[in-house]
């Protein structure tokens, strides 16, 4: 069963709360999932898996689809890093250089798709 779509107003409210300093798990989870949803809408596809444990994961970017096991193109980071990256508070190069983004595979560089504009 697909994950229900987060309504724009709810996603923006949660993101604003996190950016204003909320530490509520529900705000953080909703903000992360909302930003992952925006990425999936911006770059639909199945060639890169973006993981932000424990809150969510999406498959994005057109290209070869994987069917079993670990996908060949994976991006993984924590919630705070994902929010900073997706909102443009920090750049891909900066966060990747600090070791806060794990990216493997030839399609795993998401910098052309970021930041997202909620």
């Amino acid at each position: 069963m697909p994950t229900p779509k987060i309504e724009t107003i709810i996603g923006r409210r949660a993101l604003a709360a996190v950016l204003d300093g909320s530490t509520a798990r529900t705000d953080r989870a909703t903000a992360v999932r909302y930003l992952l949803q925006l990425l999936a809408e911006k770059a639909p596809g199945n060639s890169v898996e973006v993981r932000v444990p424990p809150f969510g994961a999406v498959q994005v970017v057109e290209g070869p689809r994987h069917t079993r096991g670990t996908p060949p193109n994976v991006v993984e980071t924590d919630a705070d890093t994902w929010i900073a990256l997706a909102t443009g508070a920090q750049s891909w190069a900066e966060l990747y250089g600090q070791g806060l983004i794990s990216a493997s595979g030839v399609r795993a560089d998401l910098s052309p798709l970021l930041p997202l504009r909620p």
Side-chain angles (χ1 to χ4, degrees):
M1 180 175 201
T3 305
K5 184 175 178 179
I6 297 171
E7 293 180 34
T8 301
I9 194 162
I10 293 170
R12 286 182 178 177
R13 190 176 297 142
L15 181 57
V18 170
L19 294 175
D20 285 341
S22 171
T23 58
R25 183 176 170 85
T26 55
D27 287 338
R28 186 166 311 290
T30 301
V32 165
R33 290 178 186 133
Y34 176 64
L35 291 169
L36 287 171
Q37 175 180 297
L38 292 180
L39 178 63
E41 290 169 359
K42 184 174 185 176
N46 295 74
S47 69
V48 179
E49 187 165 291
V50 181
R51 301 173 181 167
V52 185
F55 300 119
V58 293
Q59 291 185 0
V60 296
V61 183
E62 288 184 9
R65 179 185 184 112
H66 72 279
T67 56
R68 302 187 112 196
T70 301
N73 301 286
V74 177
V75 174
E76 187 168 329
T77 192
D78 63 86
D80 291 334
T81 302
W82 171 242
I83 291 169
L85 184 62
T87 61
Q90 292 183 272
S91 72
W92 176 274
E94 184 179 7
L95 295 170
Y96 184 78
Q98 293 173 21
L100 297 172
I101 300 170
S102 170
S104 62
V106 296
R107 297 173 174 265
D109 182 354
L110 299 179
S111 59
L113 300 172
L114 300 168
L116 301 169
R117 300 291 177 212

